[in-house]
Amino acid sequence: GTKELEKQVRSAERAVEKAEVRLDELAQEMEAAASDYLKLQDLYAEREKLEDELAHLYTEWEKLAAELEEAKS
């Protein structure tokens, strides 16, 4: 029903927000680690992985939101 879909949409929104916050944190950590090449490599790798995950989360969120709209109409 729509209740379960609403719950899934909220959960997806939270996951997106959490990933976006982490991306911001990574940007700050990268600035702080500008002279530490090895640390930067790790941070870049984490950012790349997180950006892929975020793209997937956006897709999932959009799909769930569309399903919810459909279920409501």
Side-chain angles (χ1 to χ4, degrees):
T2 57
K3 287 272 186 254
E4 182 59 30
L5 273 173
E6 286 171 359
K7 205 166 103 180
Q8 290 176 338
V9 168
R10 281 195 305 275
S11 175
E13 286 171 353
R14 282 193 303 272
V16 164
E17 286 171 15
K18 195 172 161 188
E20 286 175 340
V21 166
R22 182 61 190 138
L23 269 182
D24 288 343
E25 291 171 352
L26 276 173
Q28 291 170 8
E29 287 178 36
M30 289 165 114
E31 273 183 43
S35 60
D36 184 343
Y37 178 72
L38 291 175
K39 176 88 172 147
L40 268 179
Q41 267 188 317
D42 289 345
L43 292 172
Y44 272 110
E46 184 180 346
R47 186 179 74 176
E48 208 167 275
K49 188 174 153 225
L50 191 57
E51 285 173 343
D52 288 346
E53 182 183 329
L54 195 52
H56 171 74
L57 288 170
Y58 276 128
T59 302
E60 186 65 18
W61 180 24
E62 289 167 6
K63 183 180 80 109
L64 288 167
E67 284 178 26
L68 181 58
E69 282 303 308
E70 203 173 290
K72 284 183 173 179
S73 59

